[in-house]
Amino acid sequence: MSKRQAMLDKGHTMLNKLENACLLEGGSHDEFIEKEYFVKMHDLIRDMALQIAGPKFMVSEDVPDEEEWGKDVEKVSLLSDRESEFPYISPKCPKLSTLLLLGYATIPDSFFVHLHGLKVLHVFGGRIKSLPNSISDLENLTSLRVYRCFDLKRVPSLAKLTALRSLDLLESATKEIPHGLEKLVNLRYLSLRAYNQEMPPGILPKLSQLQVLKLNCGSNSLTVNGEEIVRLKKLDLFKGKFCGLNDFNTYLESLEGGPSHYVYCARKTKPASELGETVKLLPKDVQALAIFGGQNLRFFYKCMKSVCIRECEEIEDVFSYSFTFPLQSLEIVQLVKLDKLLVLFREEKVTPAPMVPPSTFSRLKEFTICECPNIRQLFALGVLLNLANLEQITVFRCLQLEEIIARPKASDEVDEEEAKEIVEIFPRLRRLTLVISPELNTICSSSNVILCDSLDSIEIEECPKLKRLPLSLRRINGQLASLPSSLQIKIEKERWELLEWDNHDMKMVLEPCCEFSYFKVKSQCG
């Protein structure tokens, strides 16, 4: 595990140096657990690199004629954006070590006949249905990746490719386990897709060098035996589906130091009366938890950063006021299709009345709630001041939801001067999405405002009862500060005109940022 991490760290160090020198450009997009980062190369830098590399590198949008393949070429990238047919050629390039093929519909068997020095072969996209049989003879191949080939049904025998260290077939449409998989005794990385079957016994224990094992997960996915996973002593990352809860428990009970990150997905596939076994434990350092169709959920641990709960039939609440630590570490919360969800926090029946533990949600960055038809309010007043790091709020099709932040009840004792004081909330909010929530009438009370300093996106659609958009700008020398240049507001035109404003100047300042839609805005009576 430490050796693999050292290799990853070294690779990232090299990428960081190139990015800091402006030879690469960085970017990112949001994933469930965390952001996924990538780098890309500017066109001018790319042209310069190819010129420096000379005949060792070849990059082309068309497959060159056979005589154009030089004997000194080491790395080749062929990119077709037309899903063109691959010509019947058989280049002789003894030094060719890396080959990237993107967007081709077919690859002839003749192409790889003389490419026995090939070490890295990546095939991307295209409507290719099968890989040529000649791949089976590439005995020096160390990395084979087939990515986003959704028509690919067949992979030739891999039995001779004993030098393979990385095999990635997860993002393809292959339905069968490749022939000869058990022969790949040097595999460190295996990413595989297969349907409606169990991994044949005896294959995984032979892959004793595996550090990463990723298998497709879902109702029709490949399943594995827990005892065989336990025998993979070097495993650093595992994603897969166990044959049953007994296998899952066997795996967890064996962990001693084990992997450093977990995503646990529990999918209810049988009636509760037939399940028999239950989950006995989860590793105490779980950072991400995803549960699909489970019940009786109270798995919250100190290190947990991300939780996704989806399609759980009986759940009425997600968190408990009795938790003393776990909600301080949460960064991402996703709640989807919880038909009976009424509140986020379960009130403990104790005396005196429970208080929200200090720092609850203090690290929360993203909160998403979708298709939870019975919840009426999201955040209690007790956690409002803890939401200083919240960057994204997404609400979709919550039909009974009335409030994002609960308003003070008439019975609450609030000092008059305190009630008049304007409190700024969500100081880091970047994205606010409120869609198809017909009863939503309040984002926050009239004493709260959201500064636009960090806002990038606001989307409001089919929320006919929403009257107030609590946005504000700082004042500098009596003048409103400038809006962020990236801010975009998507809203129905009629809803925009009906909104009430604490400061009418805000409407005029924000209107140039609006992208109006023209859905019919329903009246409050429906």
Side-chain angles (χ1 to χ4, degrees):
M1 184 158 49
S2 60
K3 184 177 180 181
R4 177 175 178 269
Q5 189 60 49
M7 289 191 296
L8 290 172
D9 291 343
K10 183 177 180 179
H12 283 290
T13 299
M14 294 168 68
L15 288 175
N16 289 337
K17 287 181 179 179
L18 291 169
E19 189 174 343
N20 292 335
C22 299
L23 295 174
L24 291 175
E25 301 174 4
S28 68
H29 55 79
D30 294 333
E31 290 293 324
F32 165 52
I33 300 174
E34 57 191 351
K35 283 185 178 296
E36 183 171 286
Y37 295 90
F38 59 86
V39 291
K40 59 183 179 180
M41 187 179 289
H42 191 279
D43 288 349
L44 290 175
I45 302 296
R46 175 178 172 272
D47 291 342
M48 181 184 71
L50 290 174
Q51 186 173 2
I52 293 172
K56 293 182 179 181
F57 286 12
M58 182 167 65
V59 178
S60 176
E61 293 183 2
D62 297 300
V63 181
D65 293 335
E66 190 169 316
E67 58 271 14
E68 295 180 56
W69 290 70
K71 292 184 178 180
D72 293 327
V73 68
E74 297 176 5
K75 301 181 188 298
V76 172
S77 176
L78 303 178
L79 315 170
S80 171
D81 58 359
R82 301 181 297 275
E83 293 190 350
S84 57
E85 296 293 325
F86 210 100
Y88 283 87
I89 61 173
S90 185
K92 297 177 178 64
C93 304
K95 296 181 181 180
L96 183 61
S97 63
T98 300
L99 177 61
L100 313 179
L101 302 175
L102 187 149
Y104 290 95
T106 61
I107 303 174
D109 200 56
S110 63
F111 182 70
F112 293 101
V113 170
H114 301 295
L115 301 182
H116 294 298
L118 202 60
K119 293 183 177 180
V120 176
L121 174 60
H122 291 185
V123 181
F124 300 89
R127 303 188 65 84
I128 188 168
K129 295 182 179 179
S130 63
L131 296 178
N133 290 327
S134 53
I135 286 179
S136 298
D137 295 322
L138 301 177
E139 297 183 10
N140 290 309
L141 206 61
T142 60
S143 175
L144 175 60
R145 186 185 190 202
V146 182
Y147 183 71
R148 293 193 176 276
C149 295
F150 299 122
D151 290 337
L152 184 72
K153 299 298 190 293
R154 177 186 169 274
V155 174
S157 174
L158 305 178
K160 294 182 182 180
L161 308 186
T162 55
L164 265 184
R165 294 169 61 93
S166 175
L167 175 62
D168 187 350
L169 301 175
L170 187 62
E171 292 290 337
S172 67
T174 53
K175 295 186 177 182
E176 302 294 333
I177 296 170
H179 177 266
L181 183 62
E182 69 280 2
K183 303 290 186 180
L184 308 183
V185 295
N186 289 304
L187 271 184
R188 268 68 168 170
Y189 183 106
L190 174 59
S191 186
L192 187 64
R193 177 180 294 271
Y195 292 94
N196 293 322
Q197 57 182 299
E198 182 179 346
M199 178 70 79
I203 289 182
L204 288 179
K206 292 179 181 178
L207 309 181
S208 59
Q209 302 300 313
L210 272 182
Q211 296 176 352
V212 175
L213 176 59
K214 295 181 180 180
L215 306 173
N216 61 309
C217 295
S219 57
N220 298 319
S221 59
L222 181 68
T223 58
V224 294
N225 179 284
E227 292 183 358
E228 293 200 345
I229 295 294
V230 169
R231 294 169 66 181
L232 298 175
K233 299 300 183 183
K234 296 185 178 182
L235 198 61
D236 180 29
L237 188 154
F238 170 63
K239 175 185 176 183
K241 179 182 176 182
F242 289 99
C243 296
L245 284 172
N246 281 332
D247 288 281
F248 178 72
N249 290 327
T250 297
Y251 170 64
L252 289 182
E253 289 167 353
S254 73
L255 292 177
E256 296 178 1
S260 58
H261 295 74
Y262 306 84
V263 178
Y264 163 51
C265 302
R267 182 180 294 276
K268 180 181 174 184
T269 57
K270 298 180 180 179
S273 60
E274 297 180 21
L275 283 175
E277 287 291 323
T278 59
V279 176
K280 294 179 180 178
L281 74 161
L282 287 178
K284 297 301 182 184
D285 56 353
V286 166
Q287 294 195 15
L289 173 68
I291 298 181
F292 298 79
Q295 298 180 359
N296 302 320
L297 311 173
R298 295 295 168 206
F299 296 118
F300 293 98
Y301 294 121
K302 191 170 184 177
C303 299
M304 192 169 291
K305 294 183 179 181
S306 176
V307 59
C308 173
I309 302 177
R310 184 185 184 105
E311 299 176 34
C312 298
E313 298 174 358
E314 302 300 325
I315 191 169
E316 295 183 0
D317 57 86
V318 181
F319 308 110
S320 167
Y321 283 125
S322 65
F323 293 134
T324 57
F325 54 76
L327 305 183
Q328 296 178 20
S329 58
L330 273 178
E331 297 180 6
I332 300 175
V333 173
Q334 297 180 344
L335 308 174
V336 182
K337 292 186 178 180
L338 306 179
D339 289 347
K340 294 188 178 180
L341 182 69
L342 299 176
V343 292
L344 295 185
F345 287 91
R346 181 183 74 225
E347 296 188 11
E348 307 293 342
K349 297 180 179 179
V350 296
T351 303
M355 298 293 290
V356 178
S359 299
T360 295
F361 287 163
S362 60
R363 295 184 182 178
L364 189 63
K365 293 182 179 181
E366 299 179 16
F367 182 89
T368 299
I369 183 166
C370 297
E371 298 187 58
C372 297
N374 288 304
I375 192 167
R376 294 182 179 273
Q377 63 176 225
L378 296 187
F379 302 111
L381 281 173
V383 301
L384 177 57
L385 296 180
N386 296 343
L387 298 173
N389 289 305
L390 194 59
E391 298 179 2
Q392 181 173 320
I393 300 174
T394 301
V395 177
F396 177 78
R397 204 183 290 275
C398 293
L399 302 182
Q400 297 299 319
L401 184 68
E402 299 175 359
E403 304 171 324
I404 303 298
I405 302 292
R407 288 173 291 189
K409 298 178 182 178
S411 58
D412 292 343
E413 294 183 7
V414 180
D415 182 85
E416 287 188 17
E417 292 300 320
E418 186 179 333
K420 293 178 182 179
E421 183 180 353
I422 300 298
V423 178
E424 297 169 359
I425 61 173
F426 305 148
R428 290 182 172 83
L429 191 66
R430 295 187 301 107
R431 190 176 302 167
L432 176 64
T433 303
L434 308 173
V435 176
I436 313 179
S437 297
E439 298 299 318
L440 180 64
N441 57 65
T442 301
I443 294 176
C444 56
S445 71
S446 58
S447 61
N448 299 135
V449 296
I450 302 172
L451 288 178
C452 295
D453 294 11
S454 57
L455 275 172
D456 289 330
S457 170
I458 298 174
E459 182 175 0
I460 300 174
E461 183 179 322
E462 296 191 45
C463 299
K465 291 188 177 182
L466 186 63
K467 294 182 178 180
R468 175 175 176 259
L469 198 56
L471 301 179
S472 180
L473 284 169
R474 298 186 188 278
R475 286 189 174 271
I476 302 175
N477 298 326
Q479 301 294 319
L480 291 176
S482 300
L483 285 170
S485 58
S486 59
L487 178 59
Q488 291 185 325
I489 301 174
K490 296 182 180 180
I491 189 171
E492 299 110 323
K493 175 67 173 177
E494 188 175 345
R495 173 57 42 208
W496 175 261
E497 297 298 338
L498 293 174
L499 287 174
E500 300 172 0
W501 297 89
D502 301 331
N503 180 344
H504 192 70
D505 290 343
M506 279 301 301
K507 179 181 179 182
M508 292 186 292
V509 170
L510 290 170
E511 192 155 331
C513 301
C514 291
E515 179 182 322
F516 292 120
S517 57
Y518 291 87
F519 297 101
K520 182 179 180 181
V521 178
K522 298 179 181 179
S523 69
Q524 291 188 12
C525 296

